[in-house]
Amino acid sequence: MSKNITARPVKKAVFPVAGLGTRFLPATKAMPKEMLPVCDRPLIQHVVEEARQAGIEDFIFITGRHKELLEEHFDYQAELEATLEARSKTALLEKVRESEIPAGHLFCTRQPKPLGLGHAVWCAAKIIGDEPFAVLLPDVLMKGKESCLKQMVDVYQKTGGNLIAVEEVPRAETNKYGIIDTKDESLAIMPVDGLVEKPEPAKAPSTLSVVGRYIFQPELFEYLSAFETGAGGEIQLTDAMAKLIGKQPFNAMRFDGKSYDCGSRPGFIEANIAYGLSDPEIAHSVKEVLKRYA
Ligand code: UTP
């Protein structure tokens, strides 16, 4: 396998949205988890916007059954736009238009069974071809002054290879996350020596967790295509990532901001509070509501 140090631009991003979202049942019985709204837009739109701000041009959704709404959301809605225009609702019309993905830039491919995140990413192999690409998990929102993926692209232009975003977690909670092994965890950008899934606090090689944003070289697909099952009987992305370490540059970047795990109910509620408090139209009302629960 060749060492890939030149930073070819990242123009394609994969959004795995084929999971069952069981932690949100029955809300996710017929509606995709990724369509749950945080503030005024669904999770998937927050993440597509993050990717757009990083210069991503092509958006690849890995979908499954009952996921058609996700495509609809980014489509041109003629009737709605005509009605808003006729009513001179310019600001709303602008918001609706911003949520569209232009013709020829949205690619949807199916993952017939939710066999795991690694398998979902593998489903994009033909569309990605021989290019570096980003992966963004739509149930994790990254809130910072600047788009997390944009921060990563800026770093990637200097480092090349593979790059993942990491965030500090309390040592007592390392057993909930994928944790990186690195020689110097005080650095902003650090070479990754290994990845450990949910280590017990005493055995965790660091307190830096992997948070759902990745830039990969296409060689990742060579490992994913082995379809090896790992933890939980699923084809794990982490296992294929671990095999790239040592063969290509593999770095971690401390994300400047905060992540919200919207795949869990408490994380989702916290994200709604945080995004509500940052929305000038409703921040005051949200503060008033919170006072009543203090
Ligand atoms: P999660 O494991 O958080 O999502 O996967 P899930 O399986 O849908 O949720 P729960 O645990 O049952 O509540 C992270 C992302 O990867 C996608 C999911 O849709 C989610 O956006 N995913 C996961 C796939 O696309 N395919 C899979 O086989 C697994």
Side-chain angles (χ1 to χ4, degrees):
M1 189 176 288
S2 65
K3 288 230 173 200
N4 202 332
I5 298 168
T6 338
R8 291 187 287 159
V10 183
K11 294 291 168 197
K12 294 179 178 171
V14 177
F15 301 82
V17 292
L20 297 177
T22 53
R23 285 170 287 169
F24 274 94
L25 281 170
T28 46
K29 220 176 124 191
M31 185 189 70
K33 168 172 80 174
E34 298 80 7
M35 283 302 291
L36 291 170
V38 166
C39 220
D40 62 350
R41 58 204 66 199
L43 289 171
I44 185 75
Q45 188 180 336
H46 282 282
V47 180
V48 161
E49 283 169 5
E50 180 192 329
R52 228 181 224 149
Q53 286 156 17
I56 295 297
E57 293 172 1
D58 294 327
F59 302 85
I60 301 154
F61 289 2
I62 312 299
T63 71
R65 272 180 295 285
H66 307 307
K67 298 283 180 169
E68 295 78 10
L69 261 184
L70 288 160
E71 290 174 49
E72 286 292 325
H73 181 76
F74 292 97
D75 207 353
Y76 168 59
Q77 302 288 348
E79 252 180 53
L80 176 63
E81 292 200 13
T83 309
L84 292 174
E85 207 154 14
R87 292 182 187 171
S88 303
K89 301 270 187 199
T90 325
L92 280 180
L93 185 61
E94 201 46 47
K95 270 192 170 187
V96 167
R97 287 192 175 143
E98 275 169 19
S99 69
E100 285 162 20
I101 293 180
H105 291 278
L106 175 60
F107 301 81
C108 296
T109 187
R110 282 223 177 192
Q111 183 191 26
K113 290 183 195 165
L115 297 178
L117 184 58
H119 182 260
V121 172
W122 173 83
C123 291
K126 292 264 184 221
I127 304 175
I128 298 290
D130 185 30
E131 279 183 47
F133 62 102
V135 175
L136 298 96
L137 301 192
D139 54 359
V140 183
L141 294 191
M142 308 292 268
K143 195 168 183 303
K145 278 199 199 84
E146 195 177 36
S147 144
C148 175
L149 191 66
K150 166 80 169 68
Q151 294 177 30
M152 292 176 71
V153 165
D154 290 347
V155 168
Y156 165 80
Q157 277 161 359
K158 295 178 204 122
T159 60
N162 305 275
L163 180 69
I164 57 175
V166 292
E167 195 178 48
E168 194 81 48
V169 293
R171 181 159 284 276
E173 293 179 16
T174 53
N175 54 3
K176 293 187 194 158
Y177 304 96
I179 300 289
I180 65 162
D181 186 357
T182 180
K183 285 186 186 67
D184 189 352
E185 55 181 297
S186 66
L187 299 173
I189 318 296
M190 58 217 110
V192 178
D193 299 322
L195 295 162
V196 193
E197 228 10 276
K198 302 186 175 73
E200 286 309 319
K203 290 191 179 154
S206 77
T207 48
L208 292 170
S209 77
V210 182
V211 279
R213 297 294 184 271
Y214 317 81
I215 292 176
F216 291 125
Q217 296 302 314
E219 285 78 8
L220 178 80
F221 292 121
E222 292 174 21
Y223 296 112
L224 287 175
S225 59
F227 299 136
E228 277 169 33
T229 50
E234 294 193 343
I235 299 166
Q236 298 286 355
L237 181 61
T238 311
D239 295 343
M241 278 160 56
K243 289 182 181 146
L244 270 179
I245 296 169
K247 303 199 177 65
Q248 290 190 341
F250 203 115
N251 293 292
M253 180 203 84
R254 275 172 188 274
F255 157 61
D256 184 10
K258 177 170 166 41
S259 74
Y260 294 88
D261 174 14
C262 296
S264 79
R265 299 198 301 273
F268 174 73
I269 290 167
E270 190 186 350
N272 265 295
I273 294 170
Y275 280 75
L277 288 172
S278 313
D279 180 336
E281 262 180 48
I282 61 165
H284 179 72
S285 318
V286 176
K287 269 188 206 143
E288 290 304 308
V289 170
L290 288 174
K291 275 187 207 160
R292 297 205 285 273
Y293 290 86

Short mmCIF file of all heavy atoms in Angstrom, two decimals, residues 15-24 33-34 62-63 67 111 113-121 136-139 234-235 261 263, ligand 1:
data_model
loop_
_atom_site.label_atom_id
_atom_site.label_comp_id
_atom_site.label_asym_id
_atom_site.label_seq_id
_atom_site.Cartn_x
_atom_site.Cartn_y
_atom_site.Cartn_z
N PHE A 15 -22.61 10.52 4.46
CA PHE A 15 -23.49 10.69 5.62
C PHE A 15 -24.23 9.36 5.83
O PHE A 15 -25.19 9.07 5.12
CB PHE A 15 -24.51 11.81 5.35
CG PHE A 15 -23.87 13.14 5.07
CD1 PHE A 15 -23.40 13.44 3.79
CD2 PHE A 15 -23.71 14.08 6.06
CE1 PHE A 15 -22.78 14.66 3.53
CE2 PHE A 15 -23.10 15.30 5.81
CZ PHE A 15 -22.63 15.59 4.53
N PRO A 16 -23.80 8.54 6.77
CA PRO A 16 -24.50 7.27 6.99
C PRO A 16 -25.82 7.53 7.73
O PRO A 16 -25.82 8.03 8.85
CB PRO A 16 -23.53 6.47 7.86
CG PRO A 16 -22.25 7.27 7.90
CD PRO A 16 -22.64 8.68 7.66
N VAL A 17 -26.93 7.20 7.08
CA VAL A 17 -28.25 7.48 7.69
C VAL A 17 -29.15 6.25 7.62
O VAL A 17 -30.38 6.38 7.60
CB VAL A 17 -28.94 8.70 7.01
CG1 VAL A 17 -28.20 9.97 7.31
CG2 VAL A 17 -29.07 8.51 5.50
N ALA A 18 -28.54 5.06 7.59
CA ALA A 18 -29.34 3.85 7.41
C ALA A 18 -29.63 3.11 8.73
O ALA A 18 -30.24 2.05 8.72
CB ALA A 18 -28.64 2.90 6.45
N GLY A 19 -29.21 3.69 9.84
CA GLY A 19 -29.41 3.00 11.13
C GLY A 19 -30.89 2.98 11.54
O GLY A 19 -31.72 3.67 10.96
N LEU A 20 -31.19 2.19 12.55
CA LEU A 20 -32.59 2.02 12.98
C LEU A 20 -33.03 3.06 14.00
O LEU A 20 -34.22 3.24 14.22
CB LEU A 20 -32.79 0.61 13.57
CG LEU A 20 -32.54 -0.55 12.60
CD1 LEU A 20 -32.71 -1.88 13.33
CD2 LEU A 20 -33.47 -0.48 11.40
N GLY A 21 -32.09 3.72 14.64
CA GLY A 21 -32.45 4.75 15.63
C GLY A 21 -33.30 4.21 16.76
O GLY A 21 -34.26 4.85 17.21
N THR A 22 -32.93 3.02 17.27
CA THR A 22 -33.80 2.35 18.26
C THR A 22 -33.93 3.14 19.57
O THR A 22 -34.94 3.01 20.26
CB THR A 22 -33.25 0.94 18.59
OG1 THR A 22 -31.88 1.07 18.97
CG2 THR A 22 -33.35 0.02 17.40
N ARG A 23 -32.91 3.97 19.87
CA ARG A 23 -32.99 4.71 21.14
C ARG A 23 -34.07 5.79 21.11
O ARG A 23 -34.40 6.36 22.13
CB ARG A 23 -31.62 5.33 21.49
CG ARG A 23 -30.64 4.28 22.00
CD ARG A 23 -29.25 4.84 22.10
NE ARG A 23 -28.64 5.02 20.79
CZ ARG A 23 -27.51 5.67 20.55
NH1 ARG A 23 -26.88 6.22 21.57
NH2 ARG A 23 -27.01 5.78 19.34
N PHE A 24 -34.62 6.04 19.94
CA PHE A 24 -35.68 7.05 19.83
C PHE A 24 -37.03 6.45 19.46
O PHE A 24 -37.95 7.18 19.10
CB PHE A 24 -35.31 8.13 18.82
CG PHE A 24 -34.49 9.22 19.44
CD1 PHE A 24 -33.11 9.18 19.40
CD2 PHE A 24 -35.10 10.29 20.08
CE1 PHE A 24 -32.35 10.17 19.99
CE2 PHE A 24 -34.35 11.29 20.66
CZ PHE A 24 -32.97 11.23 20.62
N LYS A 33 -34.29 9.01 12.24
CA LYS A 33 -33.73 9.74 13.39
C LYS A 33 -33.07 11.03 12.93
O LYS A 33 -33.14 12.06 13.61
CB LYS A 33 -32.68 8.83 14.07
CG LYS A 33 -31.82 9.52 15.08
CD LYS A 33 -30.95 8.53 15.85
CE LYS A 33 -29.71 8.12 15.09
NZ LYS A 33 -28.80 7.29 15.91
N GLU A 34 -32.44 10.98 11.76
CA GLU A 34 -31.67 12.14 11.27
C GLU A 34 -32.58 13.31 10.88
O GLU A 34 -32.10 14.38 10.58
CB GLU A 34 -30.81 11.71 10.08
CG GLU A 34 -29.78 10.64 10.41
CD GLU A 34 -30.36 9.21 10.45
OE1 GLU A 34 -31.55 9.03 10.10
OE2 GLU A 34 -29.62 8.29 10.84
N ILE A 62 -26.09 7.42 2.76
CA ILE A 62 -26.25 5.96 2.79
C ILE A 62 -27.60 5.72 3.47
O ILE A 62 -27.71 5.86 4.68
CB ILE A 62 -25.13 5.27 3.59
CG1 ILE A 62 -23.74 5.79 3.18
CG2 ILE A 62 -25.23 3.75 3.46
CD1 ILE A 62 -23.35 5.59 1.74
N THR A 63 -28.58 5.40 2.67
CA THR A 63 -29.95 5.35 3.19
C THR A 63 -30.44 3.91 3.35
O THR A 63 -29.73 2.96 3.02
CB THR A 63 -30.93 6.11 2.27
OG1 THR A 63 -31.10 5.36 1.08
CG2 THR A 63 -30.42 7.49 1.93
N LYS A 67 -36.37 6.02 4.65
CA LYS A 67 -35.44 7.15 4.75
C LYS A 67 -35.67 8.17 3.62
O LYS A 67 -34.87 9.07 3.42
CB LYS A 67 -34.00 6.63 4.71
CG LYS A 67 -33.66 5.71 5.88
CD LYS A 67 -33.42 6.47 7.17
CE LYS A 67 -33.08 5.53 8.31
NZ LYS A 67 -32.59 6.21 9.49
N GLN A 111 -28.12 0.97 1.93
CA GLN A 111 -27.51 -0.11 2.70
C GLN A 111 -28.70 -1.04 3.01
O GLN A 111 -29.55 -0.68 3.82
CB GLN A 111 -26.89 0.42 4.00
CG GLN A 111 -26.17 -0.65 4.79
CD GLN A 111 -25.78 -0.19 6.20
OE1 GLN A 111 -26.41 0.69 6.76
NE2 GLN A 111 -24.76 -0.81 6.75
N LYS A 113 -29.22 -3.72 4.68
CA LYS A 113 -29.40 -4.10 6.09
C LYS A 113 -28.45 -3.27 6.93
O LYS A 113 -27.31 -3.05 6.51
CB LYS A 113 -29.03 -5.57 6.31
CG LYS A 113 -29.99 -6.55 5.70
CD LYS A 113 -29.53 -7.95 6.06
CE LYS A 113 -30.23 -8.97 5.16
NZ LYS A 113 -29.57 -10.28 5.22
N PRO A 114 -28.87 -2.85 8.15
CA PRO A 114 -27.94 -2.07 8.99
C PRO A 114 -26.87 -2.96 9.61
O PRO A 114 -26.94 -3.35 10.76
CB PRO A 114 -28.86 -1.44 10.04
CG PRO A 114 -30.05 -2.34 10.11
CD PRO A 114 -30.18 -3.05 8.80
N LEU A 115 -25.85 -3.29 8.81
CA LEU A 115 -24.83 -4.25 9.25
C LEU A 115 -23.71 -3.60 10.05
O LEU A 115 -22.76 -4.27 10.45
CB LEU A 115 -24.25 -4.98 8.04
CG LEU A 115 -25.23 -5.85 7.24
CD1 LEU A 115 -24.53 -6.47 6.03
CD2 LEU A 115 -25.84 -6.95 8.12
N GLY A 116 -23.83 -2.29 10.24
CA GLY A 116 -22.80 -1.58 11.01
C GLY A 116 -22.28 -0.38 10.24
O GLY A 116 -22.43 -0.30 9.01
N LEU A 117 -21.66 0.54 10.99
CA LEU A 117 -21.17 1.79 10.40
C LEU A 117 -20.12 1.54 9.32
O LEU A 117 -20.10 2.20 8.29
CB LEU A 117 -20.62 2.68 11.53
CG LEU A 117 -20.16 4.05 11.15
CD1 LEU A 117 -21.27 4.86 10.49
CD2 LEU A 117 -19.63 4.79 12.38
N GLY A 118 -19.24 0.56 9.57
CA GLY A 118 -18.19 0.25 8.59
C GLY A 118 -18.82 -0.18 7.27
O GLY A 118 -18.40 0.25 6.18
N HIS A 119 -19.85 -1.01 7.35
CA HIS A 119 -20.53 -1.47 6.13
C HIS A 119 -21.23 -0.32 5.44
O HIS A 119 -21.21 -0.20 4.21
CB HIS A 119 -21.53 -2.58 6.50
CG HIS A 119 -22.23 -3.16 5.32
ND1 HIS A 119 -23.51 -2.79 4.97
CD2 HIS A 119 -21.82 -4.04 4.37
CE1 HIS A 119 -23.86 -3.44 3.88
NE2 HIS A 119 -22.86 -4.21 3.49
N ALA A 120 -21.83 0.59 6.23
CA ALA A 120 -22.52 1.75 5.65
C ALA A 120 -21.52 2.59 4.85
O ALA A 120 -21.80 2.98 3.71
CB ALA A 120 -23.17 2.59 6.76
N VAL A 121 -20.35 2.83 5.42
CA VAL A 121 -19.35 3.65 4.71
C VAL A 121 -18.88 2.91 3.45
O VAL A 121 -18.73 3.50 2.38
CB VAL A 121 -18.16 3.99 5.65
CG1 VAL A 121 -17.02 4.66 4.89
CG2 VAL A 121 -18.64 4.90 6.79
N LEU A 136 -19.30 12.08 8.00
CA LEU A 136 -19.90 12.84 9.12
C LEU A 136 -21.07 12.06 9.66
O LEU A 136 -21.97 11.68 8.90
CB LEU A 136 -20.40 14.21 8.65
CG LEU A 136 -19.34 15.18 8.09
CD1 LEU A 136 -19.29 15.08 6.56
CD2 LEU A 136 -19.67 16.61 8.48
N LEU A 137 -21.08 11.79 10.96
CA LEU A 137 -22.22 11.10 11.57
C LEU A 137 -23.30 12.14 11.89
O LEU A 137 -23.05 13.06 12.69
CB LEU A 137 -21.81 10.36 12.84
CG LEU A 137 -20.72 9.30 12.68
CD1 LEU A 137 -20.62 8.44 13.94
CD2 LEU A 137 -20.96 8.42 11.46
N PRO A 138 -24.47 11.99 11.28
CA PRO A 138 -25.48 13.04 11.41
C PRO A 138 -26.13 13.11 12.79
O PRO A 138 -26.81 14.09 13.08
CB PRO A 138 -26.54 12.67 10.37
CG PRO A 138 -25.99 11.54 9.60
CD PRO A 138 -24.90 10.91 10.39
N ASP A 139 -25.91 12.10 13.63
CA ASP A 139 -26.52 12.21 14.95
C ASP A 139 -25.57 12.84 15.96
O ASP A 139 -25.87 12.91 17.15
CB ASP A 139 -27.06 10.86 15.45
CG ASP A 139 -26.02 9.76 15.43
OD1 ASP A 139 -24.88 10.04 15.00
OD2 ASP A 139 -26.35 8.64 15.84
N GLU A 234 -21.24 -6.35 14.44
CA GLU A 234 -21.38 -5.39 13.35
C GLU A 234 -20.04 -5.17 12.63
O GLU A 234 -18.98 -5.38 13.23
CB GLU A 234 -21.89 -4.05 13.90
CG GLU A 234 -23.29 -4.13 14.46
CD GLU A 234 -23.91 -2.76 14.70
OE1 GLU A 234 -23.17 -1.76 14.74
OE2 GLU A 234 -25.15 -2.71 14.83
N ILE A 235 -20.12 -4.74 11.38
CA ILE A 235 -18.91 -4.37 10.64
C ILE A 235 -18.54 -2.97 11.09
O ILE A 235 -19.25 -2.01 10.79
CB ILE A 235 -19.15 -4.48 9.12
CG1 ILE A 235 -19.52 -5.92 8.76
CG2 ILE A 235 -17.91 -4.01 8.35
CD1 ILE A 235 -20.11 -6.11 7.38
N ASP A 261 -24.19 14.55 21.40
CA ASP A 261 -24.59 13.24 20.91
C ASP A 261 -26.11 13.18 20.82
O ASP A 261 -26.79 12.81 21.79
CB ASP A 261 -24.05 12.15 21.86
CG ASP A 261 -24.57 10.77 21.46
OD1 ASP A 261 -25.10 10.64 20.33
OD2 ASP A 261 -24.46 9.84 22.28
N GLY A 263 -27.87 11.18 19.23
CA GLY A 263 -28.41 9.81 19.12
C GLY A 263 -28.93 9.34 20.46
O GLY A 263 -29.60 8.30 20.55
P1 UTP B 1 -25.76 4.78 15.61
O1 UTP B 1 -25.40 3.44 16.08
O2 UTP B 1 -25.60 5.94 16.52
O3 UTP B 1 -27.26 4.84 15.07
O4 UTP B 1 -24.98 5.05 14.25
P2 UTP B 1 -28.45 3.80 15.13
O5 UTP B 1 -27.98 2.41 15.05
O6 UTP B 1 -29.38 4.28 14.08
O7 UTP B 1 -29.10 4.17 16.55
P3 UTP B 1 -29.57 3.28 17.79
O8 UTP B 1 -28.30 2.92 18.52
O9 UTP B 1 -30.33 2.08 17.26
O10 UTP B 1 -30.43 4.20 18.57
C1 UTP B 1 -24.44 6.32 13.88
C2 UTP B 1 -24.90 6.71 12.47
O11 UTP B 1 -24.58 5.67 11.56
C3 UTP B 1 -25.72 5.26 10.84
C4 UTP B 1 -26.92 5.71 11.67
O12 UTP B 1 -28.04 6.02 10.83
C5 UTP B 1 -26.41 6.94 12.40
O13 UTP B 1 -26.65 8.14 11.68
N1 UTP B 1 -25.67 3.79 10.61
C6 UTP B 1 -25.42 2.94 11.64
C7 UTP B 1 -25.86 3.30 9.34
O14 UTP B 1 -26.08 4.07 8.36
N2 UTP B 1 -25.84 1.94 9.13
C8 UTP B 1 -25.59 1.07 10.14
O15 UTP B 1 -25.56 -0.16 9.89
C9 UTP B 1 -25.38 1.59 11.44
#
